[in-house]
Amino acid sequence: MKTIDLRSDTVTQPTPAMRRAIAEADVGDDIYGEDPTARRLEERVAELLGLEAALFVPTGTQANQIAMGLHCRLGDEVLAEGGSHIIHYESGALAGLWGVQPAPLEGERGVFSPEQVTAAVRTDFIGPRSRLVSLENTHNRGGGKVWPLERFRAVVEAGRAAGLAVHLDGARLFNAAVAAGVPASAWASLTDTTAVCFSKGLGAPAGSAIVGSRALIAEARRLRKRLGGAMRQVGVLAAGALYALEHHVERLAEDHALARRLAAGLAEVPGVTVDPRQVETNMVVAEFAAPQAESVARLAAQGVLVGATGSSPRAVRLVTHLDVSAADIDEVLRRVRQGLAG
């Protein structure tokens, strides 16, 4: 029985063409600034996001944490939605690396308002200093929610009015761009720094980038070294990321269509609750009658791998990606029915 892995879009395998690009990559010592493939990738990312410069880093977490180090100092506070990646999935790095505390905002599927930003900013001398507002697009724990561009702009303006810097965790920003039909720069160009990931929906084996002004990225290079993220012949990784950026962005629409197909099918299964209207990108969050752990185990027994999500004790997350076909989705639906019936 074929295993169909819907735990995340990070589980993809490099395509044959991507493997060729990796094998044939021009490389040099990146710490000396001599890796031509990394330079091409960084220039291309900066161009696409409408910012001046970019830096290739190993992971999305490191990209986000470099941004925290750029914008914040010991005892500062970062405003972020309560379910955001920097709070839940980065091993306490805000406090552990930078001595920064989060000010969690309650959002609707990850999206909050400019009024919340204004109200949350600290103005007295006895509290921590509000320094940064961080937004996540698409929002992971929000089920792949896309930030509406005008709401995003209004939140940025509220942050600027309060003297805050703005960071965008855009790990799946290209999913947002494809879903909304606008360029990724529509969001990123409004920020001081944006992080994007190549190893999620784009299907590269590793790598992210942090993008911003030339001055910020020059300092980001220093922080990358401090965090152990500087590598040598990094072009072997950058080549996969560059190939993904040039060939796998538009095809994200296929993942989105398959997620809608999956949600529509699950909505017809007794014992499963899902709202297909909430599927904007490549994530489906479904409520099963059993607790999370039981549902995950029962589906795994049927050869369908899914992940638990923090949205509720009975919710599971199913993510479509480069290695999932329409036939796979139909087979998943068949196995879900069979697993629940058993």
Side-chain angles (χ1 to χ4, degrees):
M1 179 173 59
K2 174 186 177 181
T3 297
I4 303 172
D5 196 340
L6 301 177
R7 290 174 298 173
S8 177
D9 47 9
T10 61
V11 301
T12 57
Q13 296 290 308
T15 64
M18 184 183 289
R19 289 179 184 273
R20 286 194 296 273
I22 291 169
E24 297 168 4
D26 293 329
V27 299
D29 192 318
D30 189 54
I31 294 180
Y32 291 126
E34 296 174 355
D35 192 293
T37 306
R39 296 292 82 75
R40 287 198 300 273
L41 173 64
E42 290 165 349
E43 290 167 4
R44 181 63 176 142
V45 174
E47 177 187 23
L48 284 173
L49 297 192
L51 294 166
E52 290 181 345
L55 180 68
F56 184 72
V57 299
T59 70
T61 291
Q62 188 172 103
N64 283 335
Q65 289 306 314
I66 287 173
M68 300 302 110
L70 289 173
H71 298 303
C72 300
R73 298 296 177 264
L74 282 169
D76 285 347
E77 189 171 61
V78 55
L79 278 61
E81 199 277 330
S84 62
H85 197 280
I86 64 168
I87 294 176
H88 277 273
Y89 299 117
E90 300 188 5
S91 298
L94 280 173
L97 294 175
W98 313 112
V100 172
Q101 71 180 40
L105 305 180
E106 184 177 351
E108 182 179 352
R109 297 183 62 207
V111 174
F112 48 89
S113 70
E115 291 79 14
Q116 287 175 281
V117 172
T118 301
V121 172
R122 308 270 192 164
T123 57
D124 58 76
F125 74 94
I126 60 173
R129 179 168 48 187
S130 301
R131 178 76 78 168
L132 174 70
V133 58
S134 180
L135 305 96
E136 185 177 327
N137 191 27
T138 67
H139 198 281
N140 184 352
R141 285 169 70 94
K145 172 69 178 175
V146 176
W147 263 87
L149 182 56
E150 289 311 310
R151 171 66 69 88
F152 187 93
R153 189 189 310 275
V155 166
V156 169
E157 290 174 354
R160 299 275 191 227
L164 305 184
V166 178
H167 174 65
L168 169 58
D169 175 0
R172 294 181 174 89
L173 182 59
F174 293 106
N175 287 90
V178 169
V182 299
S185 61
W187 292 277
S189 63
L190 301 175
T191 72
D192 295 290
T193 51
T194 290
V196 292
C197 186
F198 308 114
S199 63
K200 293 186 170 68
L202 297 185
S208 289
I210 178 169
V211 193
S213 69
R214 288 186 179 88
L216 283 172
I217 297 307
E219 182 61 18
R221 191 172 297 275
R222 176 184 294 274
L223 294 184
R224 183 184 69 173
K225 179 68 172 175
R226 182 182 297 170
L227 296 175
M231 298 176 286
R232 300 295 179 173
Q233 287 71 38
V234 71
V236 294
L237 291 177
L242 186 59
Y243 183 90
L245 196 61
E246 298 293 358
H247 296 89
H248 290 172
V249 172
E250 291 184 3
R251 65 148 306 281
L252 291 170
E254 300 172 22
D255 297 342
H256 301 171
L258 290 181
R260 292 192 295 270
R261 180 175 183 153
L262 175 60
L266 288 173
E268 297 177 353
V269 178
V272 180
T273 302
V274 60
D275 185 354
R277 295 170 300 178
Q278 291 194 342
V279 178
E280 298 183 30
T281 52
N282 66 327
M283 296 185 186
V284 177
V285 176
E287 295 261 354
F288 283 69
Q292 279 177 347
E294 182 179 336
S295 297
V296 170
R298 291 183 70 177
L299 290 172
Q302 297 292 323
V304 178
L305 304 184
V306 301
T309 178
S311 58
S312 89
R314 298 181 184 276
V316 300
R317 188 185 74 162
L318 306 94
V319 185
T320 55
H321 51 75
L322 182 66
D323 291 347
V324 175
S325 67
D328 289 331
I329 294 301
D330 292 341
E331 178 63 13
V332 165
L333 292 170
R334 187 189 70 79
R335 294 184 193 178
V336 167
R337 292 196 235 11
Q338 179 177 314
L340 294 183

